[in-house]
Amino acid sequence: MAMIPSFFDNRRGTIFDPFTWEPFKDFPFPPSSLVSHENSAFVNTRIDWKETPEAHVFQADLPGLKKEEVKVEVEDDRVLQISGERNVEKEDKNDTWHRVERSSGKFLRRFRLPENAKVDQVKATMENGVLTVTVPKEEVKKPEVKAIEISG
């Protein structure tokens, strides 16, 4: 318990600001070591997956990326793979950076598609930084039940 007050000692008498508070500031390791820069975009790429009666729909927020920088693939074993790369902004020697929060680097997300996915009819569109991948569904054929007459 002696460690807890040390985190907040210099916060007494000030208003708590959740936007500037750095919870890992007093730990012995730098916060940047939690996630490497190469993987930071991978961690931050958010994708929603919803199922409609007609299709599986994936939506990914990819602000600032062009469709040429994103790749959508379906592997043989019914795995949808969405990948790409967000490039680092070029630095000018005269610039002074106060905060860097936007992710850069490669990202890769994979989803195993269900058996009813028509993997040969996948479509992808990109509009206003949102990638939408639509995977149509096959009608699930219900097994035909045949009644067997019991003799005897």
Side-chain angles (χ1 to χ4, degrees), residues 127-146:
E127 189 175 333
N128 295 327
V130 178
L131 172 71
T132 302
V133 179
T134 305
V135 183
K137 291 173 21 180
E138 294 179 324
E139 241 184 79
V140 178
K141 296 179 182 176
K142 295 182 180 176
E144 200 173 298
V145 178
K146 180 179 176 184

Side-chain angles (χ1 to χ4, degrees), residues 13-133:
T14 62
I15 297 174
F16 175 71
D17 182 4
F19 298 106
T20 58
W21 181 54
E22 296 181 25
F24 299 108
K25 178 178 73 80
D26 294 327
F27 281 99
F29 53 84
S32 60
S33 68
L34 292 175
V35 178
S36 73
H37 291 295
E38 186 174 325
N39 293 330
S40 61
F42 170 79
V43 171
N44 292 324
T45 303
R46 306 282 187 215
I47 298 180
D48 295 338
W49 175 2
K50 73 176 177 180
E51 183 175 354
T52 68
E54 299 81 29
H56 294 276
V57 181
F58 297 83
Q59 289 186 307
D61 288 337
L62 303 172
L65 288 183
K66 299 175 189 137
K67 66 180 183 177
E68 297 81 20
E69 298 171 316
V70 179
K71 193 187 302 187
V72 178
E73 301 170 306
V74 178
E75 295 178 357
D76 291 335
D77 53 350
R78 308 180 85 72
V79 175
L80 174 68
Q81 180 171 299
I82 301 171
S83 62
E85 185 169 1
R86 189 174 289 127
N87 294 320
V88 178
E89 194 172 309
K90 291 187 179 185
E91 292 187 32
D92 186 346
K93 298 289 183 203
N94 298 324
D95 291 346
T96 301
W97 289 86
H98 294 281
R99 185 173 291 274
V100 177
E101 294 183 344
R102 296 186 305 151
S103 301
S104 62
K106 296 178 181 181
F107 65 90
L108 171 71
R109 297 292 307 272
R110 297 170 57 114
F111 302 91
R112 179 160 309 278
L113 297 171
E115 291 294 322
N116 66 348
K118 292 183 181 179
V119 294
D120 57 334
Q121 296 179 14
V122 175
K123 296 205 182 330
T125 61
M126 188 133 165
E127 189 175 333
N128 295 327
V130 178
L131 172 71
T132 302
V133 179

